[in-house]
Amino acid sequence: MNIQNVILGFLVEKPMTGYDIKQMMENSVSYFFDASYGAIYPALKRMEKDKLIEKEVVQQEGKPNKNLYVITLEGKKAFQAYMDSPLNPTLIRSDLLMRIFFGRHTNPNKIMEWLNTEKEKAQAQLDNLSLVDKKYPDMERHKKITLLYGIDEAKFTLGWIERELRRLAEEGA
Amino acid sequence: MNIQNVILGFLVEKPMTGYDIKQMMENSVSYFFDASYGAIYPALKRMEKDKLIEKEVVQQEGKPNKNLYVITLEGKKAFQAYMDSPLNPTLIRSDLLMRIFFGRHTNPNKIMEWLNTEKEKAQAQLDNLSLVDKKYPDMERHKKITLLYGIDEAKFTLGWIERELRRLAEEGA
DNA sequence: CGGACCATGTAAGTCGTTACATGATTGC
DNA sequence: GCAATCATGTAACGACTTACATGGTCCG
């Protein structure tokens, strides 16, 4: 999976601008994929050149013009090829776990700080996704599956962090 | 967190070769960080040039020579600087979730295939980590915390996958 | 005698990120 | 008046991965 596959996936569902795509990603897949504008815009250019998508300039009053991208037949085929290709392994890179792993070379307070930082993030994630879930009760089946996964995962992470914090507090006492 | 920080962390604990470091990573932090030889060896060279580590060539009989790397005082300081720097956010990139997200553009069988592929991986992860846990009962505290996290996470993933598989089977029936 | 393990390295390519650059409107 | 939102883009750089290259020992 790369940025191109993801963009194709969104454009299969409806035409969008680079800006739209970024917004979409942020409030739907951000907890398992993210991309910057610096990745999205060049990708769109490349894909247009490769005839996977077509640009349609939309004039707007009081706003800058938009480049609305529409997927082509070739683009749809490329997306299908991605969906038919072998599954790529999940990538995880956790600075928190790495630091805990080397935790004996720091003081316990720092570990608690890290855990608290991460706890807030997990809580924010949980709140945000729960809100999305409430806001769109008729969400498409598959999108809902991943959303619920995100919620479950945030709860799992939160639970783990809280248990660790409690343990560290007890040991410190 | 980058490869250099991680290498420094290992070398703080004891001198190692590039090969050792790779082995270590594979059976301790591989479920939240991984690196290839193509990343490790160049990093070691760079770090030696930067005086963070020193090379000691070890002659061996019947085996190729080893480059054993020892951390310097400067290296230890660099590691401490890393441990004192702000925590970096966890990075997750899940092809499985992305494909499920776009799952309505494929057939249900494919989704079950993906889930089964991932289930086997999670099971292998769980078995492997459980074995490590059993094998080293006196593991250093912090390393054990991350190991137990890995075990819990694998169980969580496994549970989720199994629930989804059951749901899909029921709906398909 | 073949595969697994030990051991190190480079070159080319991929795929991004960060920072910079621009500029209008809307709401507080 | 200032921040946020809308909207697009580039240049420099970073941080890898993959494939290639080499070669010895140990075990079944």
Side-chain angles (χ1 to χ4, degrees):
Chain A
M1 173 191 46
N2 55 32
I3 181 81
Q4 176 170 316
N5 304 139
V6 180
I7 291 176
L8 287 174
F10 280 110
L11 294 185
V12 162
E13 316 210 325
K14 69 172 183 191
M16 289 188 201
T17 67
Y19 190 85
D20 293 338
I21 290 167
K22 172 77 170 151
Q23 299 319 102
M24 272 288 185
M25 285 183 184
E26 261 166 25
N27 46 53
S28 64
V29 301
S30 58
Y31 54 99
F32 60 86
F33 182 87
D34 74 316
S36 61
Y37 285 120
I40 294 169
Y41 286 118
L44 287 169
K45 278 224 158 160
R46 203 186 328 118
M47 290 159 75
E48 195 197 357
K49 205 189 70 194
D50 295 344
K51 313 267 187 198
L52 302 177
I53 58 179
E54 274 165 10
K55 181 160 72 178
E56 200 178 298
V57 179
V58 178
Q59 244 81 32
Q60 294 189 124
E61 300 170 44
K63 280 183 188 173
N65 287 350
K66 288 202 285 196
N67 297 340
L68 195 69
Y69 289 97
V70 184
I71 195 164
T72 63
L73 182 61
E74 215 182 318
K76 284 180 190 173
K77 281 183 191 164
F79 178 70
Q80 281 307 321
Y82 157 61
M83 292 293 267
D84 290 343
S85 72
L87 192 65
N88 289 116
T90 301
L91 213 111
I92 301 178
R93 180 164 278 212
S94 170
D95 195 22
L96 176 70
L97 289 176
M98 190 59 84
R99 288 179 193 221
I100 294 176
F101 185 81
F102 291 128
R104 72 157 146 158
H105 307 293
T106 193
N107 62 65
N109 289 340
K110 196 154 283 173
I111 297 182
M112 293 181 87
E113 267 174 48
W114 294 333
L115 287 170
N116 276 314
T117 304
E118 212 69 2
K119 183 184 164 184
E120 274 169 46
K121 272 191 208 171
Q123 186 64 59
Q125 182 74 267
L126 180 57
D127 293 345
N128 180 40
L129 296 183
S130 301
L131 201 73
V132 172
D133 187 33
K134 212 186 255 178
K135 209 168 159 187
Y136 304 100
D138 296 325
M139 193 182 301
E140 193 270 326
R141 248 182 98 255
H142 299 88
K143 312 241 187 288
K144 188 139 197 158
I145 294 175
T146 54
L147 179 70
L148 293 181
Y149 176 89
I151 289 174
D152 279 3
E153 201 217 35
K155 282 181 188 166
F156 166 76
T157 303
L158 216 49
W160 183 80
I161 292 175
E162 277 161 2
R163 279 198 305 281
E164 287 304 319
L165 279 170
R166 239 176 290 134
R167 265 192 33 194
L168 287 174
E170 276 166 32
E171 282 171 24
Chain B
M1 172 191 48
N2 54 34
I3 180 82
Q4 175 170 316
N5 304 139
V6 180
I7 291 176
L8 286 174
F10 280 109
L11 295 186
V12 162
E13 316 210 323
K14 70 172 184 192
M16 290 188 199
T17 68
Y19 190 84
D20 292 339
I21 290 167
K22 172 79 169 150
Q23 300 318 103
M24 272 288 184
M25 285 184 183
E26 261 165 26
N27 47 53
S28 63
V29 301
S30 59
Y31 54 100
F32 60 85
F33 182 88
D34 73 315
S36 62
Y37 286 120
I40 294 169
Y41 286 118
L44 287 168
K45 277 224 158 157
R46 202 185 330 118
M47 290 159 73
E48 194 197 357
K49 205 189 70 192
D50 295 342
K51 313 266 186 200
L52 302 176
I53 58 178
E54 273 165 9
K55 181 161 72 178
E56 200 179 299
V57 179
V58 177
Q59 244 81 33
Q60 293 189 124
E61 300 171 45
K63 281 183 187 175
N65 287 351
K66 288 203 284 196
N67 297 341
L68 195 69
Y69 288 97
V70 183
I71 195 164
T72 63
L73 182 61
E74 216 183 318
K76 283 180 190 172
K77 282 183 191 166
F79 178 69
Q80 281 308 322
Y82 157 63
M83 292 293 266
D84 290 342
S85 72
L87 192 65
N88 289 117
T90 301
L91 215 110
I92 301 177
R93 180 162 277 214
S94 169
D95 196 21
L96 176 70
L97 289 176
M98 189 59 84
R99 289 179 191 222
I100 293 176
F101 184 81
F102 291 128
R104 72 158 147 157
H105 308 295
T106 193
N107 62 65
N109 289 340
K110 196 155 282 173
I111 297 182
M112 292 182 85
E113 267 174 48
W114 295 332
L115 287 170
N116 276 313
T117 304
E118 212 70 1
K119 182 183 163 183
E120 273 168 46
K121 272 191 208 171
Q123 185 64 60
Q125 182 74 268
L126 179 58
D127 292 346
N128 180 40
L129 295 182
S130 302
L131 201 73
V132 172
D133 186 34
K134 209 186 257 178
K135 211 168 157 186
Y136 304 98
D138 296 325
M139 193 181 304
E140 192 270 326
R141 248 181 99 255
H142 299 88
K143 312 239 186 291
K144 188 138 198 159
I145 294 176
T146 54
L147 180 70
L148 293 181
Y149 177 88
I151 290 174
D152 279 2
E153 201 216 36
K155 282 181 188 166
F156 166 76
T157 303
L158 216 50
W160 183 79
I161 292 175
E162 277 161 4
R163 280 197 305 281
E164 287 304 318
L165 279 170
R166 239 175 290 134
R167 265 192 33 193
L168 288 174
E170 276 165 32
E171 282 169 25

